Amino acid sequence: MTSVKLNPEFKGRDFLAISDYSPGEVQEILDLALHLKRLQAQGVPHPLLAGKTLGMIFQKPSTRTRVSFEVGIFQLGGYGLFLSPNDLQIGRGETIKDTALTLSRYLDGIMIRTFSHDEVLELAHYASIPVINGLTDLLHPCQVMGDLQTILEHKGRLRGLKCAFIGDGNNVCHSLLAGGAKVGMDVVVACPAGFEPRAELLARARQDALATGARLWVVQDPREAVEGADVIYTDVWASMGQEREAEEKERHFARYQVNATLVAAADDDVIVMHCLPAKRGREITDEVMDGPHSVVFDQAENRLHAQKAIMALLMQ
Ligand code: CP
Ligand code: NVA
């Protein structure tokens, strides 16, 4: 058994966006994630959420998020309930407000993956318990917390690194910009015209970056982006919900593939990241994904540890 001291300032808060947390708080979550990972590896029990329950609402499919949250709450001594739209009355039109007010009477926390970010904001507004964003069309903050942990483990630092995100200016890209801003890591996004990250989110991240010195910018040329990069990051060209646009997007993104030629243009010790699931042979080749630079399964693992830290702090 271990005694972990949890900062009471996190108690009861939501985790909807990395931008809601200060640089010091982001670091504190990462420190706890690394600590919990060590405890788990050593077989030291850490039931920080004994007897507590997390409801997990999934309006989109998931492998990593579902399994890592469910296993994570179990390792913390709590219990996770998987709630699909078919199980909830939301699927039959019950309002988000009434769902939030009801679930707050049973649970100690809610994790939600859905389409509209506003839906998550509404849920968090009405819920009296912490709400954790497990991905919306706009953001994927838990992903990036696990990613920052992964970069830290491989590079020994975050500040001053250069991360090149190659692909769609999507939810993962938005959270990566927000995360880079908080930890002082430069993030350059290379994407085709018309697929840039949202201007207001880039502006917000740049505002946050004033405190850490991170530089955040957007280019069109993937080769230019990876020059001197410590990290290359990519994601699917068509996200969940964009299935109908997938074919057209493939045409726009053809020259944005992370392949051996692109990786060779970066630093020799560059790490290659992908939040997964990947479309092998599209945005990333087999050779790179299975190659020596790839850390994609470390990323997948660190979702577990980062989210355990988030749950422990918020639901304490
Ligand atoms: N990266 C990620 O969120 O994966 P899942 O969609 O499998 O949860
Ligand atoms: N951008 C991807 C991330 C999946 C984890 C999507 O939203 O489908």
Side-chain angles (χ1 to χ4, degrees):
M1 204 78 115
T2 181
S3 66
V4 175
K5 189 121 179 51
L6 298 171
N7 180 349
E9 281 174 24
F10 285 88
K11 188 181 163 91
R13 288 170 67 181
D14 301 313
F15 191 79
L16 308 182
I18 294 178
S19 58
D20 296 337
Y21 284 79
S22 70
E25 288 169 339
V26 169
Q27 189 56 53
E28 220 173 311
I29 295 170
L30 293 174
D31 289 344
L32 182 60
L34 292 164
H35 184 61
L36 294 179
K37 184 172 182 175
R38 277 192 298 271
L39 292 179
Q40 188 61 30
Q42 292 161 1
V44 179
H46 43 281
L48 300 168
L49 297 181
K52 302 221 171 165
T53 308
L54 177 79
M56 305 183 297
I57 303 174
F58 281 93
Q59 309 270 22
K60 289 178 176 175
S62 168
T63 297
R64 280 143 289 269
T65 306
R66 178 183 173 177
V67 177
S68 56
F69 266 105
E70 197 162 330
V71 169
I73 185 81
F74 174 76
Q75 290 180 358
L76 290 168
Y79 180 74
L81 268 108
F82 173 73
L83 303 166
S84 83
N86 307 332
D87 301 328
L88 291 175
Q89 297 283 13
I90 290 184
R92 292 181 54 251
E94 186 170 20
T95 63
I96 294 286
K97 175 180 171 179
D98 292 347
T99 305
L101 293 172
T102 304
L103 292 181
S104 297
R105 300 292 181 106
Y106 305 124
L107 302 167
D108 301 289
I110 303 171
M111 188 244 79
I112 178 165
R113 161 169 292 196
T114 191
F115 294 87
S116 154
H117 192 73
D118 286 345
E119 206 172 286
V120 176
L121 296 178
E122 194 181 350
L123 187 79
H125 177 74
Y126 289 109
S128 59
I129 54 178
V131 171
I132 299 173
N133 179 358
L135 180 146
T136 63
D137 288 344
L138 202 65
L139 298 175
H140 199 359
C142 291
Q143 175 68 49
V144 169
M145 291 309 296
D147 297 339
L148 293 177
Q149 183 184 347
T150 307
I151 299 170
L152 193 53
E153 285 174 343
H154 281 274
K155 297 287 178 189
R157 68 190 170 107
L158 293 167
R159 189 173 283 266
L161 294 180
K162 178 184 177 187
C163 174
F165 181 92
I166 311 296
D168 191 22
N170 63 13
N171 44 11
V172 172
C173 175
H174 290 148
S175 287
L176 194 63
L177 286 163
K182 293 290 176 182
V183 301
M185 177 177 75
D186 295 346
V187 180
V188 53
V189 177
C191 58
F195 296 93
E196 294 89 356
R198 296 256 290 251
E200 72 274 20
L201 292 177
L202 179 61
R204 170 65 207 263
R206 280 185 171 150
Q207 187 65 32
D208 287 345
L210 294 175
T212 63
R215 289 168 299 178
L216 311 170
W217 72 108
V218 180
V219 298
Q220 287 188 2
D221 181 7
R223 240 194 121 85
E224 177 190 337
V226 302
E227 208 170 293
D230 305 283
V231 180
I232 295 176
Y233 198 128
T234 191
D235 185 12
V236 288
W237 296 332
S239 286
M240 289 181 275
Q242 299 180 336
E243 287 74 15
R244 276 194 310 216
E245 299 140 59
E247 221 179 282
E248 200 206 323
K249 282 188 109 175
E250 275 195 22
R251 282 197 294 278
H252 287 285
F253 284 89
R255 78 183 178 102
Y256 291 83
Q257 183 183 68
V258 175
N259 53 33
T261 313
L262 191 68
V263 173
D267 258 26
D268 288 346
D269 59 356
V270 68
I271 56 171
V272 175
M273 305 183 76
H274 192 308
C275 57
L276 306 179
K279 289 261 190 226
R280 285 170 175 260
R282 304 287 210 291
E283 75 275 3
I284 189 165
T285 58
D286 280 327
E287 188 186 6
V288 169
M289 185 135 151
D290 300 326
H293 297 281
S294 170
V295 299
V296 301
F297 297 107
D298 294 341
Q299 280 180 268
E301 176 184 340
N302 283 335
R303 293 291 301 281
L304 171 66
H305 310 296
Q307 290 160 190
K308 280 171 71 180
I310 293 166
M311 286 190 283
L313 288 163
L314 269 45
M315 293 166 63
Q316 60 182 294

